[in-house]
Amino acid sequence: MRRFAMAGVVLTMGTVLGVLAPAAGSTPAWADGPQQVKKTTFLFDNFIPAGTLCDFDFHNVFAGSDSAVIFPDKTIDHFVVTATDTNLATGFTLTDTDHFTLTTTADGQLKSAGLIFHLRTTDGKLIVNQAGLLVFSATGDVLKVTPSINPDDRAVLCTALGGHPAF
């Protein structure tokens, strides 16, 4: 299984921002300790056609913030993400506010800990709540997952929105 979509998006976003690339080798800058990266904000508006993620056209809008700390051997990102997920075939919409920490090691391993899914209907009814720990290898294989988390976000999102995963 590949990395769950949020980690993939976070990894892509972090790479674009240049905050997830661990330093190669030791430099004098590290003698002063880790580098604190200022808070960064981001916004994504994604249309995902049926057959790609779910068996319906999916619209995902999310905004968030990232506070990163870069060490010589890893980067630690603290994320707060608010999302709106819509099944475009039915118009059914869920909202989601997540708080999690993503640790990326120099060898590419990802560890996500915190509130991964907190899906609510537009009137506030809690549909899905998943919190815990996910660890992925550099190739995207699941190495560790706490029992309260389904690492297949397609199954979680698509089912919660009234459909099925595309594959």
Side-chain angles (χ1 to χ4, degrees), residues 14-148:
T15 302
V16 169
L17 296 173
V19 297
L20 292 180
S26 177
T27 65
W30 295 116
D32 295 331
Q35 295 179 5
Q36 176 75 39
V37 177
K38 292 187 180 192
K39 188 180 232 182
T40 305
T41 59
F42 52 89
L43 174 67
F44 288 95
D45 189 340
N46 304 298
F47 168 78
I48 303 164
T52 306
L53 182 70
C54 301
D55 62 350
F56 54 84
D57 287 341
F58 177 78
H59 185 226
N60 170 251
V61 177
F62 66 95
S65 63
D66 172 18
S67 296
V69 181
I70 301 173
F71 295 88
D73 61 342
K74 65 185 170 191
T75 300
I76 301 174
D77 293 273
H78 301 283
F79 287 96
V80 177
V81 178
T82 302
T84 302
D85 304 308
T86 304
N87 176 336
L88 293 176
T90 64
F92 184 64
T93 298
L94 295 172
T95 61
D96 187 19
T97 300
D98 304 324
H99 300 262
F100 61 97
T101 299
L102 185 68
T103 303
T104 307
T105 61
D107 66 0
Q109 184 181 75
L110 290 173
K111 177 173 75 171
S112 178
L115 185 58
I116 308 298
F117 279 115
H118 198 71
L119 298 171
R120 293 184 177 273
T121 61
T122 54
D123 62 356
K125 181 181 177 188
L126 183 63
I127 301 296
V128 175
N129 188 44
Q130 293 190 18
L133 174 72
L134 285 161
V135 180
F136 296 95
S137 71
T139 59
D141 296 319
V142 177
L143 300 177
K144 184 175 184 178
V145 60
T146 54
S148 63

